[in-house]
Amino acid sequence: RLATVRLESLQAGIDQFIVARQKDGAGGVTIAADLSFLSTVLRWASTVKNISVDDLAARRARSTLSLRGLKTRSQKRERLPTDGELSALYQHWGEMQRQTIPMERITKFALASGMRQGEICRIRIEDIDWKKATVLITDRKDPNNKVGNDQVVPLIGDALPIAKEQAGTRTAGRLFPYNNRSVSASFQLATKGLGFPDLNFHDLRHAATT
């Protein structure tokens, strides 16, 4: 939609883009993300390519979203797993003979470490310092900079013994060598089958931080 807008009509074009996105069903959070991306592109065009463009157009448009009645922040989830739900999940996975992913161990590791699902599936055994009880997490999610945001994270509570049990005699490779999407699918299938589909894997992280 914006590709055909001439630079002298950019502000009006962005306003029309917002209206069109609303008609498509996009919410304020999504539109705000679109405009943030566009703002980065415009600044790049102005500073790197020396193109004469209004690099503040997208930022100005973004500031009007609240006036349009759009909420630009996601609703905070407060869902936490109960002890009963966790016990039901562990029993469910334990009774599955064809379950190849150690979902109970992954879930308990998430509850102990507070790590995100993708981070858990990326952990490399060689990045674990067993003596210091820490692990290097690469490209950790950050609002400002994801790529290259590597952090050393402590393996607190049960996280360290769970990691040792999972690693076994292995000294290299991924600690949990399973596809991130497969872990997510296994978790959602279990919660849906047990009657609490509103419980997400990310809620384990919330539980860990409480």
Side-chain angles (χ1 to χ4, degrees):
R1 292 187 177 110
L2 288 172
T4 58
V5 175
R6 299 184 65 84
L7 292 182
E8 57 266 25
S9 305
L10 182 60
Q11 193 72 65
I14 294 176
D15 291 339
Q16 293 171 6
F17 170 78
I18 294 174
V19 173
R21 291 291 279 139
Q22 283 184 273
K23 289 182 179 179
D24 289 341
V29 176
T30 301
I31 297 174
D34 291 340
L35 294 177
S36 294
F37 177 76
L38 177 60
S39 180
T40 300
V41 172
L42 293 177
R43 289 199 306 271
W44 172 82
S46 175
T47 59
V48 179
K49 292 298 184 180
N50 295 317
I51 297 175
S52 180
V53 59
D54 183 1
D55 59 349
L56 297 178
R59 185 178 299 181
R60 283 196 298 271
R62 193 181 190 282
S63 67
T64 69
L65 294 182
S66 59
L67 299 176
R68 299 171 186 264
L70 294 170
K71 295 181 179 180
T72 57
R73 294 196 177 189
S74 301
Q75 294 294 321
K76 184 178 179 180
R77 280 180 60 87
E78 297 181 353
R79 178 71 160 91
L80 298 177
T82 66
D83 291 340
E85 288 171 336
L86 291 173
S87 295
L89 282 170
Y90 299 154
Q91 181 178 349
H92 170 76
W93 289 320
E95 294 174 349
M96 294 181 63
Q97 296 180 353
R98 296 185 179 181
Q99 179 70 36
T100 57
I101 302 175
M103 288 301 302
E104 179 176 347
R105 187 176 293 171
I106 291 175
T107 298
K108 289 182 177 179
F109 185 84
L111 287 168
S113 67
M115 294 183 192
R116 298 175 176 86
Q117 181 177 294
E119 294 170 348
I120 293 173
C121 292
R122 288 202 312 273
I123 292 176
R124 297 182 303 181
I125 296 175
E126 54 265 45
D127 288 336
I128 299 176
D129 189 322
W130 300 108
K131 292 183 179 179
K132 294 182 179 179
T134 61
V135 59
L136 175 67
I137 303 297
T138 58
D139 295 338
R140 202 164 203 206
K141 185 176 180 180
D142 183 273
N144 300 314
N145 182 29
K146 180 178 180 181
V147 179
N149 184 39
D150 301 342
Q151 294 181 359
V152 175
V153 179
L155 293 173
I156 60 177
D158 292 334
L160 183 63
I162 291 174
K164 287 182 177 179
E165 183 180 6
Q166 176 63 25
T169 58
R170 293 182 297 141
T171 59
R174 287 191 296 153
L175 181 65
F176 295 99
Y178 307 100
N179 186 282
N180 181 32
R181 294 182 179 179
S182 297
V183 172
S184 177
S186 294
F187 191 88
Q188 292 307 129
L189 283 172
T191 54
K192 183 178 180 180
L194 291 170
F196 31 91
D198 61 323
L199 182 64
N200 298 326
F201 192 93
H202 195 74
D203 294 329
L204 303 178
R205 175 174 166 81
H206 297 164
T209 58
T210 58

